[in-house]
Amino acid sequence: MLMPGSVLPTSARGRTAAFLRRLATVAGTAVLTAAALLAAPGTAQADGHGIDHYGVWASGVNVRNGGEFCQLYPAPYYCDRIVATVSAPKVVWVYCQQEGGLTVGGNPYWVWVMTENGTRGWMASYYIKNQTNWIDGVPGCRD
């Protein structure tokens, strides 16, 4: 056991220095990764490549929540509680998608999202910037 003020042998100092360099590299990588994940989502936008931030193209889009029928068949009449409103050019984090109880703009799917302030709820997929109704790589909510 080393006492306060003792000096490590040369071989131990070398191993300790190498360990501290590796630890600093790992910690630096972790900090950069966390910063990238927590960065303001207004700058990141995916186009049909899985769970990610997606842009909203309209103004005043409601994010809804409610009871059991809301979870099974997202639609305004089942999800009567408006928990947030999102407008372009904001983005939302899309977790999953499923066919809802109402088709909006010819798109039958609804997405479970999280807004920039952390509110979660259902949004009609019609309002998400994406080339198709079903967002490639985003799982179904019932899968």
Side-chain angles (χ1 to χ4, degrees):
M1 174 190 262
L2 290 175
M3 301 302 289
S6 335
V7 177
L8 287 173
T10 304
S11 62
R13 281 193 302 247
R15 286 192 307 268
T16 302
F19 171 76
L20 291 175
R21 281 193 301 274
R22 282 194 304 272
L23 183 61
T25 301
V26 169
T29 302
V31 167
L32 290 175
T33 301
L37 291 173
L38 298 174
T43 59
Q45 180 177 319
D47 188 21
H49 299 291
I51 299 171
D52 205 339
H53 288 103
Y54 287 83
V56 174
W57 61 264
S59 296
V61 179
N62 292 326
V63 176
R64 300 173 168 276
N65 214 331
E68 181 181 356
F69 283 112
C70 177
Q71 298 307 315
L72 295 172
Y73 309 104
Y77 43 88
Y78 289 135
C79 305
D80 57 346
R81 218 173 355 164
I82 297 171
V83 293
T85 302
V86 181
S87 295
K90 296 293 184 181
V91 296
V92 292
W93 183 266
V94 175
Y95 288 98
C96 63
Q97 58 194 335
Q98 74 181 39
E99 194 165 343
L102 176 71
T103 296
V104 178
N107 186 335
Y109 301 108
W110 286 66
V111 289
W112 182 255
V113 301
M114 182 174 65
T115 65
E116 289 180 342
N117 70 358
T119 302
R120 291 186 173 100
W122 290 105
M123 175 188 288
S125 185
Y126 174 72
Y127 298 110
I128 298 292
K129 287 184 181 179
N130 193 58
Q131 300 296 323
T132 59
N133 289 345
W134 183 264
I135 304 171
D136 292 337
V138 173
C141 296
R142 296 179 188 161
D143 293 347

PDB file of all heavy atoms in Angstrom, residues 66-105:
ATOM      1  N   GLY A  66     -54.043  10.441 -24.373  1.00  0.00           N
ATOM      2  CA  GLY A  66     -55.345  10.074 -23.829  1.00  0.00           C
ATOM      3  C   GLY A  66     -55.289   8.705 -23.198  1.00  0.00           C
ATOM      4  O   GLY A  66     -54.234   8.245 -22.776  1.00  0.00           O
ATOM      5  N   GLY A  67     -56.411   8.048 -23.202  1.00  0.00           N
ATOM      6  CA  GLY A  67     -56.528   6.759 -22.540  1.00  0.00           C
ATOM      7  C   GLY A  67     -56.192   5.580 -23.425  1.00  0.00           C
ATOM      8  O   GLY A  67     -55.445   5.684 -24.396  1.00  0.00           O
ATOM      9  N   GLU A  68     -56.776   4.439 -23.093  1.00  0.00           N
ATOM     10  CA  GLU A  68     -56.468   3.172 -23.769  1.00  0.00           C
ATOM     11  C   GLU A  68     -56.773   3.209 -25.257  1.00  0.00           C
ATOM     12  O   GLU A  68     -55.967   2.766 -26.077  1.00  0.00           O
ATOM     13  CB  GLU A  68     -57.258   2.040 -23.109  1.00  0.00           C
ATOM     14  CG  GLU A  68     -56.988   0.696 -23.721  1.00  0.00           C
ATOM     15  CD  GLU A  68     -57.797  -0.411 -23.066  1.00  0.00           C
ATOM     16  OE1 GLU A  68     -58.518  -0.144 -22.091  1.00  0.00           O
ATOM     17  OE2 GLU A  68     -57.697  -1.547 -23.544  1.00  0.00           O
ATOM     18  N   PHE A  69     -57.930   3.743 -25.650  1.00  0.00           N
ATOM     19  CA  PHE A  69     -58.264   3.783 -27.070  1.00  0.00           C
ATOM     20  C   PHE A  69     -57.318   4.688 -27.840  1.00  0.00           C
ATOM     21  O   PHE A  69     -57.028   4.450 -29.008  1.00  0.00           O
ATOM     22  CB  PHE A  69     -59.714   4.208 -27.286  1.00  0.00           C
ATOM     23  CG  PHE A  69     -60.687   3.114 -27.000  1.00  0.00           C
ATOM     24  CD1 PHE A  69     -61.541   3.203 -25.921  1.00  0.00           C
ATOM     25  CD2 PHE A  69     -60.729   1.976 -27.795  1.00  0.00           C
ATOM     26  CE1 PHE A  69     -62.437   2.188 -25.638  1.00  0.00           C
ATOM     27  CE2 PHE A  69     -61.614   0.947 -27.523  1.00  0.00           C
ATOM     28  CZ  PHE A  69     -62.473   1.057 -26.443  1.00  0.00           C
ATOM     29  N   CYS A  70     -56.798   5.716 -27.185  1.00  0.00           N
ATOM     30  CA  CYS A  70     -55.805   6.596 -27.818  1.00  0.00           C
ATOM     31  C   CYS A  70     -54.552   5.807 -28.158  1.00  0.00           C
ATOM     32  O   CYS A  70     -53.975   5.986 -29.226  1.00  0.00           O
ATOM     33  CB  CYS A  70     -55.478   7.756 -26.892  1.00  0.00           C
ATOM     34  SG  CYS A  70     -54.198   8.869 -27.510  1.00  0.00           S
ATOM     35  N   GLN A  71     -54.138   4.930 -27.269  1.00  0.00           N
ATOM     36  CA  GLN A  71     -52.941   4.134 -27.523  1.00  0.00           C
ATOM     37  C   GLN A  71     -53.180   3.101 -28.620  1.00  0.00           C
ATOM     38  O   GLN A  71     -52.278   2.771 -29.381  1.00  0.00           O
ATOM     39  CB  GLN A  71     -52.470   3.438 -26.244  1.00  0.00           C
ATOM     40  CG  GLN A  71     -52.084   4.391 -25.130  1.00  0.00           C
ATOM     41  CD  GLN A  71     -51.074   5.437 -25.553  1.00  0.00           C
ATOM     42  OE1 GLN A  71     -50.095   5.149 -26.206  1.00  0.00           O
ATOM     43  NE2 GLN A  71     -51.332   6.680 -25.195  1.00  0.00           N
ATOM     44  N   LEU A  72     -54.394   2.585 -28.711  1.00  0.00           N
ATOM     45  CA  LEU A  72     -54.709   1.565 -29.705  1.00  0.00           C
ATOM     46  C   LEU A  72     -55.002   2.158 -31.078  1.00  0.00           C
ATOM     47  O   LEU A  72     -54.606   1.610 -32.105  1.00  0.00           O
ATOM     48  CB  LEU A  72     -55.910   0.736 -29.241  1.00  0.00           C
ATOM     49  CG  LEU A  72     -55.692  -0.100 -27.986  1.00  0.00           C
ATOM     50  CD1 LEU A  72     -57.005  -0.713 -27.531  1.00  0.00           C
ATOM     51  CD2 LEU A  72     -54.636  -1.168 -28.240  1.00  0.00           C
ATOM     52  N   TYR A  73     -55.746   3.279 -31.112  1.00  0.00           N
ATOM     53  CA  TYR A  73     -56.186   3.892 -32.367  1.00  0.00           C
ATOM     54  C   TYR A  73     -56.013   5.402 -32.294  1.00  0.00           C
ATOM     55  O   TYR A  73     -56.978   6.138 -32.127  1.00  0.00           O
ATOM     56  CB  TYR A  73     -57.666   3.575 -32.627  1.00  0.00           C
ATOM     57  CG  TYR A  73     -57.995   2.115 -32.515  1.00  0.00           C
ATOM     58  CD1 TYR A  73     -58.658   1.618 -31.398  1.00  0.00           C
ATOM     59  CD2 TYR A  73     -57.632   1.227 -33.524  1.00  0.00           C
ATOM     60  CE1 TYR A  73     -58.963   0.268 -31.291  1.00  0.00           C
ATOM     61  CE2 TYR A  73     -57.933  -0.125 -33.419  1.00  0.00           C
ATOM     62  CZ  TYR A  73     -58.591  -0.596 -32.302  1.00  0.00           C
ATOM     63  OH  TYR A  73     -58.883  -1.919 -32.205  1.00  0.00           O
ATOM     64  N   PRO A  74     -54.770   5.891 -32.402  1.00  0.00           N
ATOM     65  CA  PRO A  74     -54.560   7.340 -32.275  1.00  0.00           C
ATOM     66  C   PRO A  74     -55.416   8.119 -33.273  1.00  0.00           C
ATOM     67  O   PRO A  74     -55.425   7.815 -34.460  1.00  0.00           O
ATOM     68  CB  PRO A  74     -53.078   7.524 -32.589  1.00  0.00           C
ATOM     69  CG  PRO A  74     -52.476   6.171 -32.580  1.00  0.00           C
ATOM     70  CD  PRO A  74     -53.551   5.174 -32.735  1.00  0.00           C
ATOM     71  N   ALA A  75     -56.144   9.089 -32.761  1.00  0.00           N
ATOM     72  CA  ALA A  75     -57.005   9.964 -33.552  1.00  0.00           C
ATOM     73  C   ALA A  75     -57.514  11.060 -32.625  1.00  0.00           C
ATOM     74  O   ALA A  75     -57.538  10.875 -31.407  1.00  0.00           O
ATOM     75  CB  ALA A  75     -58.175   9.174 -34.131  1.00  0.00           C
ATOM     76  N   PRO A  76     -57.931  12.201 -33.161  1.00  0.00           N
ATOM     77  CA  PRO A  76     -58.399  13.291 -32.297  1.00  0.00           C
ATOM     78  C   PRO A  76     -59.545  12.894 -31.370  1.00  0.00           C
ATOM     79  O   PRO A  76     -59.597  13.332 -30.229  1.00  0.00           O
ATOM     80  CB  PRO A  76     -58.863  14.353 -33.296  1.00  0.00           C
ATOM     81  CG  PRO A  76     -58.033  14.103 -34.502  1.00  0.00           C
ATOM     82  CD  PRO A  76     -57.872  12.614 -34.563  1.00  0.00           C
ATOM     83  N   TYR A  77     -60.458  12.039 -31.812  1.00  0.00           N
ATOM     84  CA  TYR A  77     -61.594  11.702 -30.967  1.00  0.00           C
ATOM     85  C   TYR A  77     -61.244  10.689 -29.884  1.00  0.00           C
ATOM     86  O   TYR A  77     -61.965  10.569 -28.892  1.00  0.00           O
ATOM     87  CB  TYR A  77     -62.797  11.223 -31.785  1.00  0.00           C
ATOM     88  CG  TYR A  77     -62.478  10.264 -32.903  1.00  0.00           C
ATOM     89  CD1 TYR A  77     -62.422   8.897 -32.699  1.00  0.00           C
ATOM     90  CD2 TYR A  77     -62.232  10.754 -34.180  1.00  0.00           C
ATOM     91  CE1 TYR A  77     -62.133   8.033 -33.733  1.00  0.00           C
ATOM     92  CE2 TYR A  77     -61.941   9.889 -35.227  1.00  0.00           C
ATOM     93  CZ  TYR A  77     -61.895   8.527 -34.996  1.00  0.00           C
ATOM     94  OH  TYR A  77     -61.596   7.674 -36.024  1.00  0.00           O
ATOM     95  N   TYR A  78     -60.173   9.939 -30.018  1.00  0.00           N
ATOM     96  CA  TYR A  78     -59.723   9.041 -28.948  1.00  0.00           C
ATOM     97  C   TYR A  78     -58.631   9.695 -28.094  1.00  0.00           C
ATOM     98  O   TYR A  78     -58.458   9.353 -26.938  1.00  0.00           O
ATOM     99  CB  TYR A  78     -59.177   7.730 -29.511  1.00  0.00           C
ATOM    100  CG  TYR A  78     -60.221   6.825 -30.098  1.00  0.00           C
ATOM    101  CD1 TYR A  78     -60.018   6.211 -31.314  1.00  0.00           C
ATOM    102  CD2 TYR A  78     -61.402   6.566 -29.424  1.00  0.00           C
ATOM    103  CE1 TYR A  78     -60.973   5.367 -31.864  1.00  0.00           C
ATOM    104  CE2 TYR A  78     -62.369   5.729 -29.959  1.00  0.00           C
ATOM    105  CZ  TYR A  78     -62.144   5.130 -31.179  1.00  0.00           C
ATOM    106  OH  TYR A  78     -63.091   4.297 -31.717  1.00  0.00           O
ATOM    107  N   CYS A  79     -57.883  10.571 -28.701  1.00  0.00           N
ATOM    108  CA  CYS A  79     -56.782  11.281 -28.012  1.00  0.00           C
ATOM    109  C   CYS A  79     -57.211  12.736 -27.841  1.00  0.00           C
ATOM    110  O   CYS A  79     -56.704  13.635 -28.515  1.00  0.00           O
ATOM    111  CB  CYS A  79     -55.501  11.187 -28.825  1.00  0.00           C
ATOM    112  SG  CYS A  79     -54.994   9.507 -29.237  1.00  0.00           S
ATOM    113  N   ASP A  80     -58.143  12.958 -26.947  1.00  0.00           N
ATOM    114  CA  ASP A  80     -58.755  14.278 -26.835  1.00  0.00           C
ATOM    115  C   ASP A  80     -57.905  15.300 -26.082  1.00  0.00           C
ATOM    116  O   ASP A  80     -58.191  16.485 -26.112  1.00  0.00           O
ATOM    117  CB  ASP A  80     -60.133  14.168 -26.198  1.00  0.00           C
ATOM    118  CG  ASP A  80     -60.108  13.510 -24.829  1.00  0.00           C
ATOM    119  OD1 ASP A  80     -59.074  12.907 -24.472  1.00  0.00           O
ATOM    120  OD2 ASP A  80     -61.125  13.590 -24.123  1.00  0.00           O
ATOM    121  N   ARG A  81     -56.845  14.851 -25.441  1.00  0.00           N
ATOM    122  CA  ARG A  81     -55.979  15.758 -24.690  1.00  0.00           C
ATOM    123  C   ARG A  81     -54.834  16.246 -25.573  1.00  0.00           C
ATOM    124  O   ARG A  81     -53.980  15.456 -25.993  1.00  0.00           O
ATOM    125  CB  ARG A  81     -55.408  15.024 -23.477  1.00  0.00           C
ATOM    126  CG  ARG A  81     -55.312  15.852 -22.249  1.00  0.00           C
ATOM    127  CD  ARG A  81     -54.901  15.038 -21.063  1.00  0.00           C
ATOM    128  NE  ARG A  81     -54.818  13.613 -21.416  1.00  0.00           N
ATOM    129  CZ  ARG A  81     -54.217  12.719 -20.691  1.00  0.00           C
ATOM    130  NH1 ARG A  81     -53.647  13.040 -19.593  1.00  0.00           N
ATOM    131  NH2 ARG A  81     -54.169  11.468 -21.075  1.00  0.00           N
ATOM    132  N   ILE A  82     -54.781  17.528 -25.863  1.00  0.00           N
ATOM    133  CA  ILE A  82     -53.670  18.116 -26.618  1.00  0.00           C
ATOM    134  C   ILE A  82     -52.603  18.489 -25.595  1.00  0.00           C
ATOM    135  O   ILE A  82     -52.834  19.322 -24.712  1.00  0.00           O
ATOM    136  CB  ILE A  82     -54.122  19.343 -27.427  1.00  0.00           C
ATOM    137  CG1 ILE A  82     -55.146  18.916 -28.470  1.00  0.00           C
ATOM    138  CG2 ILE A  82     -52.918  20.019 -28.085  1.00  0.00           C
ATOM    139  CD1 ILE A  82     -55.822  20.061 -29.189  1.00  0.00           C
ATOM    140  N   VAL A  83     -51.442  17.832 -25.689  1.00  0.00           N
ATOM    141  CA  VAL A  83     -50.387  18.030 -24.690  1.00  0.00           C
ATOM    142  C   VAL A  83     -49.296  18.975 -25.184  1.00  0.00           C
ATOM    143  O   VAL A  83     -48.494  19.459 -24.390  1.00  0.00           O
ATOM    144  CB  VAL A  83     -49.780  16.678 -24.247  1.00  0.00           C
ATOM    145  CG1 VAL A  83     -50.820  15.862 -23.489  1.00  0.00           C
ATOM    146  CG2 VAL A  83     -49.237  15.887 -25.420  1.00  0.00           C
ATOM    147  N   ALA A  84     -49.255  19.247 -26.488  1.00  0.00           N
ATOM    148  CA  ALA A  84     -48.275  20.176 -27.059  1.00  0.00           C
ATOM    149  C   ALA A  84     -48.725  20.545 -28.462  1.00  0.00           C
ATOM    150  O   ALA A  84     -49.540  19.852 -29.076  1.00  0.00           O
ATOM    151  CB  ALA A  84     -46.882  19.549 -27.103  1.00  0.00           C
ATOM    152  N   THR A  85     -48.169  21.629 -28.967  1.00  0.00           N
ATOM    153  CA  THR A  85     -48.379  22.057 -30.347  1.00  0.00           C
ATOM    154  C   THR A  85     -47.011  22.352 -30.933  1.00  0.00           C
ATOM    155  O   THR A  85     -46.185  23.005 -30.290  1.00  0.00           O
ATOM    156  CB  THR A  85     -49.274  23.311 -30.402  1.00  0.00           C
ATOM    157  OG1 THR A  85     -50.516  23.002 -29.761  1.00  0.00           O
ATOM    158  CG2 THR A  85     -49.554  23.727 -31.829  1.00  0.00           C
ATOM    159  N   VAL A  86     -46.771  21.854 -32.144  1.00  0.00           N
ATOM    160  CA  VAL A  86     -45.462  22.010 -32.784  1.00  0.00           C
ATOM    161  C   VAL A  86     -45.669  22.685 -34.141  1.00  0.00           C
ATOM    162  O   VAL A  86     -46.631  22.388 -34.848  1.00  0.00           O
ATOM    163  CB  VAL A  86     -44.784  20.635 -32.988  1.00  0.00           C
ATOM    164  CG1 VAL A  86     -43.422  20.793 -33.625  1.00  0.00           C
ATOM    165  CG2 VAL A  86     -44.675  19.894 -31.671  1.00  0.00           C
ATOM    166  N   SER A  87     -44.768  23.588 -34.490  1.00  0.00           N
ATOM    167  CA  SER A  87     -44.828  24.261 -35.788  1.00  0.00           C
ATOM    168  C   SER A  87     -43.480  24.195 -36.475  1.00  0.00           C
ATOM    169  O   SER A  87     -42.430  24.139 -35.823  1.00  0.00           O
ATOM    170  CB  SER A  87     -45.212  25.731 -35.603  1.00  0.00           C
ATOM    171  OG  SER A  87     -46.527  25.823 -35.089  1.00  0.00           O
ATOM    172  N   ALA A  88     -43.501  24.211 -37.819  1.00  0.00           N
ATOM    173  CA  ALA A  88     -42.271  24.252 -38.605  1.00  0.00           C
ATOM    174  C   ALA A  88     -41.492  25.497 -38.205  1.00  0.00           C
ATOM    175  O   ALA A  88     -42.100  26.520 -37.888  1.00  0.00           O
ATOM    176  CB  ALA A  88     -42.604  24.276 -40.090  1.00  0.00           C
ATOM    177  N   PRO A  89     -40.206  25.436 -38.145  1.00  0.00           N
ATOM    178  CA  PRO A  89     -39.276  24.393 -38.578  1.00  0.00           C
ATOM    179  C   PRO A  89     -38.831  23.470 -37.444  1.00  0.00           C
ATOM    180  O   PRO A  89     -37.774  22.867 -37.522  1.00  0.00           O
ATOM    181  CB  PRO A  89     -38.089  25.203 -39.091  1.00  0.00           C
ATOM    182  CG  PRO A  89     -38.021  26.361 -38.133  1.00  0.00           C
ATOM    183  CD  PRO A  89     -39.478  26.684 -37.834  1.00  0.00           C
ATOM    184  N   LYS A  90     -39.621  23.350 -36.404  1.00  0.00           N
ATOM    185  CA  LYS A  90     -39.248  22.496 -35.270  1.00  0.00           C
ATOM    186  C   LYS A  90     -39.159  21.034 -35.697  1.00  0.00           C
ATOM    187  O   LYS A  90     -39.647  20.641 -36.752  1.00  0.00           O
ATOM    188  CB  LYS A  90     -40.267  22.631 -34.134  1.00  0.00           C
ATOM    189  CG  LYS A  90     -40.330  24.003 -33.529  1.00  0.00           C
ATOM    190  CD  LYS A  90     -39.062  24.344 -32.796  1.00  0.00           C
ATOM    191  CE  LYS A  90     -39.191  25.699 -32.125  1.00  0.00           C
ATOM    192  NZ  LYS A  90     -38.020  26.095 -31.421  1.00  0.00           N
ATOM    193  N   VAL A  91     -38.527  20.234 -34.839  1.00  0.00           N
ATOM    194  CA  VAL A  91     -38.406  18.804 -35.072  1.00  0.00           C
ATOM    195  C   VAL A  91     -38.942  18.054 -33.859  1.00  0.00           C
ATOM    196  O   VAL A  91     -39.059  18.619 -32.770  1.00  0.00           O
ATOM    197  CB  VAL A  91     -36.939  18.377 -35.343  1.00  0.00           C
ATOM    198  CG1 VAL A  91     -36.417  18.999 -36.621  1.00  0.00           C
ATOM    199  CG2 VAL A  91     -36.052  18.702 -34.171  1.00  0.00           C
ATOM    200  N   VAL A  92     -39.294  16.806 -34.078  1.00  0.00           N
ATOM    201  CA  VAL A  92     -39.733  15.924 -32.997  1.00  0.00           C
ATOM    202  C   VAL A  92     -38.935  14.637 -33.094  1.00  0.00           C
ATOM    203  O   VAL A  92     -38.454  14.268 -34.161  1.00  0.00           O
ATOM    204  CB  VAL A  92     -41.249  15.620 -33.073  1.00  0.00           C
ATOM    205  CG1 VAL A  92     -42.071  16.856 -32.774  1.00  0.00           C
ATOM    206  CG2 VAL A  92     -41.629  15.018 -34.410  1.00  0.00           C
ATOM    207  N   TRP A  93     -38.780  13.971 -31.977  1.00  0.00           N
ATOM    208  CA  TRP A  93     -38.107  12.670 -31.945  1.00  0.00           C
ATOM    209  C   TRP A  93     -39.175  11.619 -32.179  1.00  0.00           C
ATOM    210  O   TRP A  93     -40.149  11.536 -31.437  1.00  0.00           O
ATOM    211  CB  TRP A  93     -37.434  12.463 -30.593  1.00  0.00           C
ATOM    212  CG  TRP A  93     -36.661  11.187 -30.518  1.00  0.00           C
ATOM    213  CD1 TRP A  93     -37.110   9.993 -30.037  1.00  0.00           C
ATOM    214  CD2 TRP A  93     -35.325  10.964 -30.944  1.00  0.00           C
ATOM    215  NE1 TRP A  93     -36.125   9.047 -30.134  1.00  0.00           N
ATOM    216  CE2 TRP A  93     -35.020   9.614 -30.688  1.00  0.00           C
ATOM    217  CE3 TRP A  93     -34.357  11.772 -31.515  1.00  0.00           C
ATOM    218  CZ2 TRP A  93     -33.793   9.059 -30.983  1.00  0.00           C
ATOM    219  CZ3 TRP A  93     -33.128  11.220 -31.811  1.00  0.00           C
ATOM    220  CH2 TRP A  93     -32.853   9.882 -31.540  1.00  0.00           C
ATOM    221  N   VAL A  94     -39.034  10.812 -33.228  1.00  0.00           N
ATOM    222  CA  VAL A  94     -40.021   9.787 -33.570  1.00  0.00           C
ATOM    223  C   VAL A  94     -39.547   8.448 -33.029  1.00  0.00           C
ATOM    224  O   VAL A  94     -38.464   7.977 -33.367  1.00  0.00           O
ATOM    225  CB  VAL A  94     -40.240   9.707 -35.094  1.00  0.00           C
ATOM    226  CG1 VAL A  94     -41.168   8.559 -35.449  1.00  0.00           C
ATOM    227  CG2 VAL A  94     -40.790  11.030 -35.620  1.00  0.00           C
ATOM    228  N   TYR A  95     -40.359   7.823 -32.165  1.00  0.00           N
ATOM    229  CA  TYR A  95     -40.036   6.536 -31.552  1.00  0.00           C
ATOM    230  C   TYR A  95     -40.600   5.358 -32.333  1.00  0.00           C
ATOM    231  O   TYR A  95     -39.939   4.356 -32.527  1.00  0.00           O
ATOM    232  CB  TYR A  95     -40.610   6.456 -30.131  1.00  0.00           C
ATOM    233  CG  TYR A  95     -39.897   7.318 -29.135  1.00  0.00           C
ATOM    234  CD1 TYR A  95     -40.387   8.566 -28.793  1.00  0.00           C
ATOM    235  CD2 TYR A  95     -38.733   6.876 -28.525  1.00  0.00           C
ATOM    236  CE1 TYR A  95     -39.742   9.356 -27.862  1.00  0.00           C
ATOM    237  CE2 TYR A  95     -38.079   7.659 -27.596  1.00  0.00           C
ATOM    238  CZ  TYR A  95     -38.582   8.897 -27.267  1.00  0.00           C
ATOM    239  OH  TYR A  95     -37.940   9.675 -26.356  1.00  0.00           O
ATOM    240  N   CYS A  96     -41.886   5.456 -32.709  1.00  0.00           N
ATOM    241  CA  CYS A  96     -42.551   4.344 -33.389  1.00  0.00           C
ATOM    242  C   CYS A  96     -43.744   4.892 -34.151  1.00  0.00           C
ATOM    243  O   CYS A  96     -44.091   6.068 -34.033  1.00  0.00           O
ATOM    244  CB  CYS A  96     -42.964   3.265 -32.395  1.00  0.00           C
ATOM    245  SG  CYS A  96     -44.180   3.786 -31.156  1.00  0.00           S
ATOM    246  N   GLN A  97     -44.378   4.017 -34.932  1.00  0.00           N
ATOM    247  CA  GLN A  97     -45.516   4.431 -35.757  1.00  0.00           C
ATOM    248  C   GLN A  97     -46.529   3.296 -35.843  1.00  0.00           C
ATOM    249  O   GLN A  97     -46.194   2.133 -35.675  1.00  0.00           O
ATOM    250  CB  GLN A  97     -45.031   4.821 -37.150  1.00  0.00           C
ATOM    251  CG  GLN A  97     -44.287   3.718 -37.870  1.00  0.00           C
ATOM    252  CD  GLN A  97     -43.519   4.204 -39.087  1.00  0.00           C
ATOM    253  OE1 GLN A  97     -43.850   5.221 -39.680  1.00  0.00           O
ATOM    254  NE2 GLN A  97     -42.490   3.489 -39.462  1.00  0.00           N
ATOM    255  N   GLN A  98     -47.783   3.677 -36.090  1.00  0.00           N
ATOM    256  CA  GLN A  98     -48.828   2.677 -36.261  1.00  0.00           C
ATOM    257  C   GLN A  98     -49.997   3.307 -36.999  1.00  0.00           C
ATOM    258  O   GLN A  98     -50.134   4.523 -37.054  1.00  0.00           O
ATOM    259  CB  GLN A  98     -49.281   2.111 -34.932  1.00  0.00           C
ATOM    260  CG  GLN A  98     -50.143   3.045 -34.090  1.00  0.00           C
ATOM    261  CD  GLN A  98     -50.524   2.399 -32.776  1.00  0.00           C
ATOM    262  OE1 GLN A  98     -49.737   1.716 -32.143  1.00  0.00           O
ATOM    263  NE2 GLN A  98     -51.752   2.609 -32.349  1.00  0.00           N
ATOM    264  N   GLU A  99     -50.833   2.437 -37.551  1.00  0.00           N
ATOM    265  CA  GLU A  99     -52.039   2.920 -38.215  1.00  0.00           C
ATOM    266  C   GLU A  99     -52.973   3.464 -37.147  1.00  0.00           C
ATOM    267  O   GLU A  99     -53.148   2.858 -36.085  1.00  0.00           O
ATOM    268  CB  GLU A  99     -52.700   1.788 -38.989  1.00  0.00           C
ATOM    269  CG  GLU A  99     -53.751   2.286 -39.952  1.00  0.00           C
ATOM    270  CD  GLU A  99     -54.157   1.248 -40.970  1.00  0.00           C
ATOM    271  OE1 GLU A  99     -53.425   0.257 -41.149  1.00  0.00           O
ATOM    272  OE2 GLU A  99     -55.223   1.440 -41.576  1.00  0.00           O
ATOM    273  N   GLY A 100     -53.556   4.611 -37.415  1.00  0.00           N
ATOM    274  CA  GLY A 100     -54.406   5.256 -36.426  1.00  0.00           C
ATOM    275  C   GLY A 100     -55.877   5.072 -36.704  1.00  0.00           C
ATOM    276  O   GLY A 100     -56.279   4.341 -37.613  1.00  0.00           O
ATOM    277  N   GLY A 101     -56.690   5.760 -35.937  1.00  0.00           N
ATOM    278  CA  GLY A 101     -58.130   5.700 -36.085  1.00  0.00           C
ATOM    279  C   GLY A 101     -58.660   6.735 -37.064  1.00  0.00           C
ATOM    280  O   GLY A 101     -59.864   6.823 -37.288  1.00  0.00           O
ATOM    281  N   LEU A 102     -57.772   7.543 -37.651  1.00  0.00           N
ATOM    282  CA  LEU A 102     -58.162   8.575 -38.599  1.00  0.00           C
ATOM    283  C   LEU A 102     -57.028   8.780 -39.597  1.00  0.00           C
ATOM    284  O   LEU A 102     -55.866   8.880 -39.210  1.00  0.00           O
ATOM    285  CB  LEU A 102     -58.434   9.895 -37.862  1.00  0.00           C
ATOM    286  CG  LEU A 102     -58.759  11.107 -38.723  1.00  0.00           C
ATOM    287  CD1 LEU A 102     -60.142  10.947 -39.340  1.00  0.00           C
ATOM    288  CD2 LEU A 102     -58.698  12.369 -37.882  1.00  0.00           C
ATOM    289  N   THR A 103     -57.358   8.823 -40.876  1.00  0.00           N
ATOM    290  CA  THR A 103     -56.377   9.117 -41.921  1.00  0.00           C
ATOM    291  C   THR A 103     -56.315  10.625 -42.094  1.00  0.00           C
ATOM    292  O   THR A 103     -57.354  11.281 -42.224  1.00  0.00           O
ATOM    293  CB  THR A 103     -56.786   8.434 -43.244  1.00  0.00           C
ATOM    294  OG1 THR A 103     -56.761   7.021 -43.037  1.00  0.00           O
ATOM    295  CG2 THR A 103     -55.844   8.790 -44.368  1.00  0.00           C
ATOM    296  N   VAL A 104     -55.115  11.183 -42.088  1.00  0.00           N
ATOM    297  CA  VAL A 104     -54.927  12.622 -42.242  1.00  0.00           C
ATOM    298  C   VAL A 104     -54.159  12.870 -43.538  1.00  0.00           C
ATOM    299  O   VAL A 104     -53.064  12.341 -43.719  1.00  0.00           O
ATOM    300  CB  VAL A 104     -54.151  13.217 -41.039  1.00  0.00           C
ATOM    301  CG1 VAL A 104     -53.915  14.709 -41.240  1.00  0.00           C
ATOM    302  CG2 VAL A 104     -54.883  12.956 -39.738  1.00  0.00           C
ATOM    303  N   GLY A 105     -54.723  13.632 -44.439  1.00  0.00           N
ATOM    304  CA  GLY A 105     -54.062  13.958 -45.699  1.00  0.00           C
ATOM    305  C   GLY A 105     -53.706  12.735 -46.528  1.00  0.00           C
ATOM    306  O   GLY A 105     -52.710  12.748 -47.241  1.00  0.00           O
TER     307      GLY A 105
END
